Each structure stands twice: as structure tokens, then as C-alpha cells.
Amino acid sequence: MSRRQFVPLTLVCIAFIVAVPSAPVSLSAQTSQALPNVVVLATGGTIAGAAATDVQAGYTSGQVGVEQLIAAVPQAKKLATLRGEQISNIGSQDMNDDVWLKLAARVNALAAMPDVAGIVITHGTDTIEETAYFLNLVVKTKKPVVLTAAMRPATALSADGPLNFYNAVAVAADKEAAGRGVLVVINDWIHGASSLTKTSTTAVQTFLSPLSGLIGTVAYGKTEFNRGPIGRHTADSEFSLQGVTALPRVDIIMAYENMDGALIDAAVAAGAKGLVIAGVGNGNLTQSAVAALAAQAKRGIVCVRASRVTVGRVERNVELDDDKLGFVASLDKNPQKSRVLLRLALLKGSNFADVQRAFSEY
Ligand code: ASP
């Protein structure tokens, strides 16, 4: 069966409407004059995805436009006055620098408007942790910026998008969310951009913040905040996209048994200014790969050791002498977040000690 079959709007709306319960009494009691303005920026993903039937695995991301997304969750209009903008409509596996730069510029512009209380960004789950962390480092605001997503398309039986969207609007409209950095709201949990990671390819409960825990929870729009964000962020970040039209290339290379230096050298030959190794264990790699990496570090390529293991930190100078080899340790950042931070750090310079400082501060 074709994955691009036409799906009627009514099916999409019914799936959303059926899945979302009514707002709690305390929230629905708010008058429309008192409602904060929240802007929804849609980028695509499964939350905007559609399948031909409600019980099939195959579907296409990015089929539903922002107006449909908002209209399909009328309960959210009791939490905030909503308006939407379509930034892109892609599966987040196709996320790219053009969309990132456009999205960051739009968030900065909207956040500077006095009448905007918060921003919700709808996104695919595949790369949401990278986009969230990127925005966490480059948007200059204390206002809530909240990403949300779904594991099941809008047309699915038990679609998770509608309630995730509702909860994201509740968080974006909540003054308590301000100053906590960019947040990701999914499956009743509020994650910090620097801590969350996707852990299951298909399960609805896929996102965890394994090292530092949740920023808070949200149940049918009722928020509870437990902690602030970890690391410098948003208004306090030294990174800026002012005048930036392109980001430096950084590649991620996974380590494995019998690894040689071929991919390391190939990445640099392809134009990488920095490399992130998704190392085995505590950021380790074979001796021949270490030799290739050290040679690139000597030539000025910034080399970060992260880990292919989902949980845990990568510390400096454990089994490898980072001081001598000129490597950076990723500390609490996984490979994909290390790549985001390294790209921004490289805009400021390629001294490995400065980059290591950024890894310990952000
Ligand atoms: N491939 C989809 C995306 O990232 C998956 C999802 O959104 O859950 O856009």
C-alpha cells in the first residue's frame, strides 16, 4: 500500500479531537481577555504525520499544516490565544541548517515582541533533542520556548500528539516555565533541552533525561516544576547567530571493534572542522583510530570524545590522556548534542581548551 495515500482532513481532526480530554475546570475558568498569546511554529514530524488507516505502522511525516494542528486541539484555546506559522513541514530526519537558522531567527524575533508570552514548536522526535539543544544555546530570551512531538501520527488509534500539544501550550503559557531554558514537553514530562534523549525507536515513552532527571511534569495542562536547567542557556549563552549564515561542518563517527582511521581522515577530507567520536564505553576507540584522531587534532581539527552508550558521562583523562592528545571530553553530552555544541563553539575558535570549557559550562 502506498505511504502517500490521501488522508481526509476529517480523519485527522477526529483523531485529534477524540484523543484530547476536556481542560480541567480551573484552567477553563480563565477569561479569553486574560489568556496569554502563544505562537505555534510548526516544522513537521509525526505529530503532523498521516497514514491511510488508524492501525498501520507506515505513514508519512509532515502532512498536516499548522492551522489544522491548532484547529484539531480546540481545548488548547482555553489555555492561550494561539496563532501559528509554518516554518517547514518535514520529517525531522531531514532537519537541516536552513531550517535551524530560520527557526532560531523567528524564535528570537517573536520572543522580543512584548505581547508574545511563549512559543511552542512542533517537531519530529528523531532529532528534537538536537534542535532543542541548538535553540537552547542561541535564542536570547527568558520566555518559555517549548518543543513538542508525537510518536504516533495524527491519524493513529491512540494518537499521542493532541495531548502533547495541549500540554506544550500549557507549559508555554505558564510564567513558571520562564528562565528554565528551552524545554521539551512529551508524554506528560517536561525535559530540559540539554538532558533529554530518545531511547526507543517506537515506544510512546521514548524520551528520558537519564543523567539529571526531569525539569517537571504536566498532567492535562497542570504543571509541576522540580528544578531549573543544567548548564548555561538562552539569555545567558555566549553563542549568537548574529551575522551567521552557515555553521561549520562537524561529523559524528561511531567507534567499533577493529576500527581504523579511514573514516576519521575521510570526514576531514570532506570538510569537517570538528569530529565527534561516539566512542565505546567511556569514549574509547582503538589505538589506530586514536593515532588518526590525534594526528587530526594536531592539524587543528577539534576532536571530541563522546560515547555510543546511552547513559553516562565521558570524563577527561580516564583511559586516554586527553591533555597530551589534544582531545575534548564530552562530559554529560551525548554525540548528537556534542556535535551541536561543537559547531557553535567553532564559530568562536578552535582552541581545544576553550572548547572543553564550553563543554563544562553548557
Ligand atoms: N521520523 C519522524 C520525525 O522525526 C519521527 C517522529 O516524529 O516521531 O519526524
Side-chain angles (χ1 to χ4, degrees), residues 144-177:
V145 176
V146 181
L147 285 87
T148 193
M151 287 298 284
R152 296 179 180 147
T155 48
L157 189 65
S158 271
D160 52 331
L163 186 53
N164 287 342
F165 180 78
Y166 181 82
N167 281 336
V169 171
V171 174
D174 188 342
K175 286 197 175 77
E176 284 287 304

Side-chain angles (χ1 to χ4, degrees), residues 44-48 59 61-62 90-94 123-128 149-152 198 201 207:
T46 298
I47 195 167
Y59 69 97
S61 284
I90 56 176
S92 76
Q93 58 271 43
D94 278 325
H123 199 287
T125 60
D126 288 353
T127 59
I128 196 170
M151 287 298 284
R152 296 179 180 147
K198 189 174 186 179
T201 52
F207 285 99

